[in-house]
Amino acid sequence: MSDNVEKSLSVIQEWYKKYNNQTIATTSCGATASLLIDLIHRSRCNIPVIFVDTGFLFEDTVEYFQRLRHMYRDLFFLRLKSNLDKAAYMDKGGEIKDVERCCRDNKVIVLDEFLENNNIKCWFSALRKDQSNVREGMSPIQRDKRGIYKVLPVFEWSAQEVFTYIHERNLPLHPLFNQGYESIGCEPCTKAGSGREGRWSDTTKTECGLHL
């Protein structure tokens, strides 16, 4: 077992021991979502995996979520869905009229309500510092104004280490990854591209808002 894997498992186990049933992990079911989910499985911690379905996702993303849920039957997966009228967010050309509002209403608020209603104290996420300049400036352990700790077990992993692990463990990638989509969000705001360059490519936006 590599040092990175041991360290990540130790972080998951340490924080789960502190907060137990007040702990969750989130997944966007992006390109390498299987990494964190596999580590949670190996940690033997009973951490629910939360997936926010904005209503604008690629069908491939939903299918990837279903595949991961089928693979890891020992884990509890929960799909949170936004019930807002999606047409209200789109113009006649099928583009999102206001990406900040759309992300806030259909993703951030949906998860925020879940965190508050379930008294969550610790939240695991698969963010890595090599993904963007914004993420490079983050801390691997953060505490927000609500008192929730956000813990990033794979923060120090490089992209090469991620793909090596996924290959060695024979884990699935998102179906769109091999079609040139290295970062995958909602369908109207995602194009093929290297790194995160395909996300909100016609705007200055770089994050959905969950991690800011």
Side-chain angles (χ1 to χ4, degrees):
M1 189 182 297
S2 73
D3 289 345
N4 263 351
V5 173
E6 287 188 4
K7 181 178 179 182
S8 296
L9 290 175
S10 177
V11 167
I12 293 169
Q13 291 162 345
E14 175 189 351
W15 284 89
Y16 178 72
K17 186 177 180 180
K18 288 181 181 179
Y19 292 105
N20 204 284
N21 62 359
Q22 292 177 297
T23 302
I24 63 158
T26 56
T27 180
S28 65
C29 285
T32 58
S34 56
L35 169 64
L36 180 59
I37 293 171
D38 191 67
L39 289 170
I40 291 171
H41 160 73
R42 295 180 69 182
S43 76
R44 299 183 181 274
C45 295
N46 187 26
I47 301 169
V49 178
I50 310 302
F51 170 58
V52 180
D53 183 348
T54 63
F56 291 105
L57 300 177
F58 289 94
E59 185 58 36
D60 296 277
T61 300
V62 177
E63 291 175 1
Y64 186 40
F65 167 74
Q66 300 291 7
R67 181 178 181 185
L68 292 170
R69 184 165 65 174
H70 181 77
M71 284 178 61
Y72 296 99
R73 294 181 180 270
D74 59 315
L75 298 179
F76 175 73
F77 287 80
L78 178 62
R79 180 179 174 187
L80 302 179
K81 297 187 72 173
S82 168
N83 294 316
L84 299 175
D85 178 15
K86 301 304 174 286
Y89 294 88
M90 305 185 76
D91 62 24
K92 293 181 180 179
E95 301 293 324
I96 301 297
K97 292 186 285 188
D98 183 338
V99 293
E100 295 291 351
R101 174 172 168 258
C102 187
C103 285
R104 182 185 68 245
D105 293 356
N106 292 293
K107 193 169 189 179
V108 178
I109 291 176
V110 173
L111 182 60
D112 281 351
E113 289 178 350
F114 175 86
L115 295 173
E116 182 177 350
N117 292 340
N118 290 276
N119 196 27
I120 300 302
K121 298 298 183 186
C122 177
W123 164 13
F124 293 105
S125 173
L127 270 64
R128 306 195 321 271
K129 68 179 183 181
D130 70 345
Q131 291 175 317
S132 70
N133 291 335
V134 171
R135 296 183 177 190
E136 185 178 14
M138 293 180 176
S139 168
I141 298 174
Q142 309 161 28
R143 192 179 191 191
D144 68 20
K145 60 185 179 182
R146 301 167 293 189
I148 299 173
Y149 286 97
K150 186 182 295 180
V151 181
L152 313 179
V154 298
F155 185 70
E156 301 288 345
W157 289 46
S158 68
Q160 183 59 54
E161 289 166 333
V162 171
F163 288 109
T164 296
Y165 181 90
I166 286 174
H167 175 73
E168 290 178 349
R169 295 280 294 171
N170 194 30
L171 303 178
L173 293 164
H174 191 292
L176 291 177
F177 179 79
N178 289 325
Q179 297 179 39
Y181 292 77
E182 293 191 9
S183 181
I184 302 150
C186 292
E187 187 169 5
C189 298
T190 303
K191 298 178 180 177
S194 176
R196 291 178 63 80
E197 70 179 15
R199 302 288 295 279
W200 308 288
S201 58
D202 298 325
T203 75
T204 58
K205 186 174 175 65
T206 61
E207 296 284 343
C208 67
L210 285 183
H211 306 294
L212 296 176

